[in-house]
Amino acid sequence: MARTKKIANPRPGPGLRGWAGPGGGAQLYLDPPTEWRGTSVQVCGLWPFGAGSGTPMQGVPLGRDLHSGATVCCDPISWFMRAGLILNPSMFVLGQPGLGKSTVVRRMVLGLSGYGVQPLVFGDLKPDYVDLIRALGGQVITLGRGRGFLNVLDPGESSAAAARLTGDARRALLAEAHGRRLNSVSALITILRSAPPTDREETILNAALKVLDDRHTGGVPVLGDLVQVVKEGPEAVRAVALDRGDLNRYRDITEELESSLTALLGEGRLGDTFAQQTTEPMRMDRPVVFDISSIDDSEELLQAAALITCWGYGFGAVAAAQALADAGLEPQRHYFLVLDELWRVLRAGRGLVNRVDALTRLNRQRGVGMAMITHTMKDLLSLPEEDRLKASGFVERSGMVICGGLPMEEMPRLTQVVDLSSVEQRMLTEWSTPPAWASSDTRDIDPPGLGNFLIKVGGRPGIPLHVDLTPAELDVNNTNRRWQKGASA
């Protein structure tokens, strides 16, 4: 038998800087290549570029870029304060149900809390945020029939804060608290009637609230006290009602208003959830969530009423905290407000867009970031004609728009307010494709767009990314089983 000569292993390949070892010639220092920047017009011969620019690294780590695999960091507060990428710290989130809208917002809530920002969730219907806020050591306020009450006339922190202020700051805070209570009562009447109160009725409500504040001495008044003022018809209220000195005329003018207010005391469709003293006051030194998940989906009006009442109460508490901070009486805190299920409120009655618009126009200088969440632009554009433009303004005014999977029919509506390329539109519609059929011997198949999102800021190209949940997050994200089954650390 012939012997075969054993061949020695070839020398291993060079490293990134050449051959290592004696005589190898490895380079210890590499000169970085010169970088040049130009527009597609200036360097049109190189377009399309071989590699795009890096993804933003300021903010909460959300996930991986679907094209480059780079980490994408994003949240409205960091992009406004630290990166200067957006003009106001707000975002609007759109996407089909079940594709992870609440999950991407929860990731921001968790990350921002690590940066010292207090998350506030003003109304959790599923619930999506209760476990997370509880894990962060926050306050969970439960509302619902027989479970908890939120007095619509409760000024919350505003009264105590105003007592610590003086001069113009005190007057401004009290005036703002008065306006928010008037807006909340009018919103409840709008939901009850499916139409807003008349100008005369709002003027009467405004005067009645002022009279009630002046004469009430037994703690915080409730709706029953307001009804009593309207019934009695003091001179200040009758004057704005234009009853011409005729008591019978006054009663005719206020009959429908009195009827609507009485329906809010417990006998109407909304029950007495907003007519009793507040069960648990809101705290401003920790994360907070209003848990309204006990309200059944069949009670759409009560859900909408709970959401808008929580928003009004919560925004008032934020205004009070910031007024104290401006006066140097409390530390300056930043807040991240989450307004989920926006469509439920907007559809509850004509004119509610004005109420939401009045609540959400927060000043950038207040240190408040905000996330508004709904399913599609159809939720906004299917409103009565006079409300559509204002509802679209919620999206247009947002610093950024984050889109999940959306149907093809949504693209014409969405492109009216968000600049999307044809490639981005196709990507969003592909993400909305239903999952493949699963046989009995296989697990459920995740939808192709689960966890995929597109970040849009103005006319800039969007950033597509995928969100994966960490093991720690899975423990507080048990509202969607598909996330738990399909996510990786």
Side-chain angles (χ1 to χ4, degrees):
M1 177 184 294
R3 290 186 176 182
T4 58
K5 187 176 181 181
K6 193 173 183 180
I7 302 176
N9 290 332
R11 188 178 182 182
L16 294 177
R17 299 189 177 188
W19 297 97
Q27 182 67 26
L28 299 179
Y29 176 78
L30 295 179
D31 291 328
T34 304
E35 296 184 10
W36 301 89
R37 177 177 294 182
T39 67
S40 58
V41 174
Q42 294 169 320
V43 289
C44 53
L46 300 178
W47 181 264
F49 302 131
S53 60
T55 56
M57 294 302 293
Q58 293 91 356
V60 176
L62 282 190
R64 297 284 183 179
D65 188 301
L66 287 175
H67 297 323
S68 66
T71 300
V72 177
C73 298
C74 173
D75 68 79
I77 294 179
S78 299
W79 277 26
F80 172 71
M81 290 181 58
R82 297 163 55 193
L85 297 175
I86 57 179
L87 298 180
N88 71 83
S90 63
M91 70 176 186
F92 204 98
V93 184
L94 294 159
Q96 291 282 76
L99 295 182
K101 296 189 303 298
S102 297
T103 299
V104 73
V105 177
R106 279 195 297 265
R107 169 65 63 82
M108 290 187 184
V109 166
L110 181 59
L112 285 171
S113 65
Y115 293 151
V117 178
Q118 298 284 15
L120 306 175
V121 184
F122 295 153
D124 190 359
L125 279 166
K126 295 184 179 178
D128 282 333
Y129 305 90
V130 168
D131 290 341
L132 175 59
I133 296 299
R134 186 175 284 121
L136 293 173
Q139 180 185 23
V140 179
I141 301 175
T142 303
L143 299 177
R145 295 187 187 274
R147 294 176 180 267
F149 303 99
L150 180 59
N151 181 8
V152 72
L153 298 185
D154 188 354
E157 295 287 329
S158 297
S159 294
R164 301 172 62 185
L165 299 171
T166 59
D168 292 340
R170 183 176 186 274
R171 285 189 292 271
L173 183 58
L174 290 175
E176 185 171 4
H178 174 83
R180 290 191 186 280
R181 290 191 299 163
L182 175 61
N183 186 68
S184 295
V185 174
S186 298
L188 291 181
I189 294 175
T190 301
I191 292 173
L192 196 64
R193 296 180 178 178
S194 297
T198 65
D199 294 341
R200 174 183 282 185
E201 288 176 328
E202 287 206 344
T203 304
I204 293 172
L205 281 174
N206 182 61
L209 279 172
K210 291 181 178 179
V211 171
L212 181 59
D213 289 339
D214 291 338
R215 67 162 57 170
H216 192 81
T217 58
V220 179
V222 293
L223 271 177
D225 300 318
L226 180 62
V227 174
Q228 189 61 34
V229 172
V230 174
K231 283 182 178 180
E232 293 176 0
E235 184 61 31
V237 178
R238 292 180 61 181
V240 299
L242 302 177
D243 67 346
R244 313 301 184 191
D246 186 345
L247 182 59
N248 291 328
R249 174 179 166 85
Y250 171 79
R251 288 171 177 168
D252 290 339
I253 292 171
T254 59
E255 181 177 3
E256 290 188 12
L257 177 60
E258 184 180 331
S259 175
S260 297
L261 290 174
T262 302
L264 296 173
L265 300 182
E267 301 301 327
R269 288 174 291 178
L270 301 184
D272 63 347
T273 305
F274 316 106
Q276 303 291 332
Q277 293 291 356
T278 301
T279 306
E280 184 177 356
M282 176 181 168
R283 299 183 60 175
M284 296 303 298
D285 60 347
R286 62 189 59 194
V288 178
V289 59
F290 288 85
D291 181 9
I292 56 176
S293 58
S294 64
I295 302 176
D296 192 79
D297 286 342
S298 61
E299 296 188 285
E300 294 181 356
L301 294 183
L302 182 56
Q303 285 183 338
L307 285 171
I308 200 165
T309 305
C310 290
W311 295 353
Y313 181 81
F315 281 129
V318 171
Q322 301 297 15
L324 291 175
D326 291 341
L329 300 175
E330 291 287 342
Q332 178 67 61
R333 297 185 177 96
H334 294 160
Y335 299 97
F336 182 49
L337 314 184
V338 178
L339 308 183
D340 207 344
E341 301 290 340
L342 183 66
W343 64 275
R344 294 183 184 271
V345 175
L346 299 182
R347 287 187 179 182
R350 179 172 54 86
L352 278 174
V353 171
N354 293 329
R355 310 293 173 190
V356 177
D357 186 61
L359 285 174
T360 56
R361 284 185 180 272
L362 290 179
N363 199 318
R364 293 177 301 175
Q365 282 74 29
R366 289 188 176 175
V368 174
M370 185 164 54
M372 292 184 284
I373 309 169
T374 191
H375 294 149
T376 63
M377 287 297 298
K378 185 178 180 180
D379 296 334
L380 307 181
L381 300 181
S382 61
L383 299 170
E385 185 174 356
E386 62 270 24
D387 291 341
R388 292 174 191 168
L389 292 178
K390 293 179 182 178
S392 299
F394 295 154
V395 184
E396 294 172 344
R397 291 200 309 269
S398 297
M400 69 175 72
V401 179
I402 298 182
C403 299
L406 293 166
M408 178 64 73
E409 64 175 12
E410 180 68 10
M411 293 303 110
R413 292 186 286 262
L414 183 58
T415 51
Q416 292 179 14
V417 292
V418 181
D419 187 9
L420 292 172
S421 68
S422 58
V423 174
E424 291 170 342
Q425 294 181 48
R426 184 167 61 252
M427 184 186 306
L428 293 178
T429 56
E430 288 175 352
W431 291 347
S432 68
T433 304
W437 297 107
S439 62
S440 58
D441 58 344
T442 60
R443 69 174 180 89
D444 292 338
I445 304 299
D446 293 332
L450 181 64
N452 291 345
F453 300 95
L454 180 70
I455 302 173
K456 289 291 296 185
V457 176
R460 297 180 180 181
I463 303 176
L465 74 149
H466 179 77
V467 179
D468 282 322
L469 296 181
T470 65
E473 288 176 295
L474 288 173
D475 292 337
V476 293
N477 282 269
N478 58 2
T479 60
N480 192 331
R481 294 180 180 178
R482 289 193 178 119
W483 274 105
Q484 295 183 0
K485 294 179 180 179
S488 59

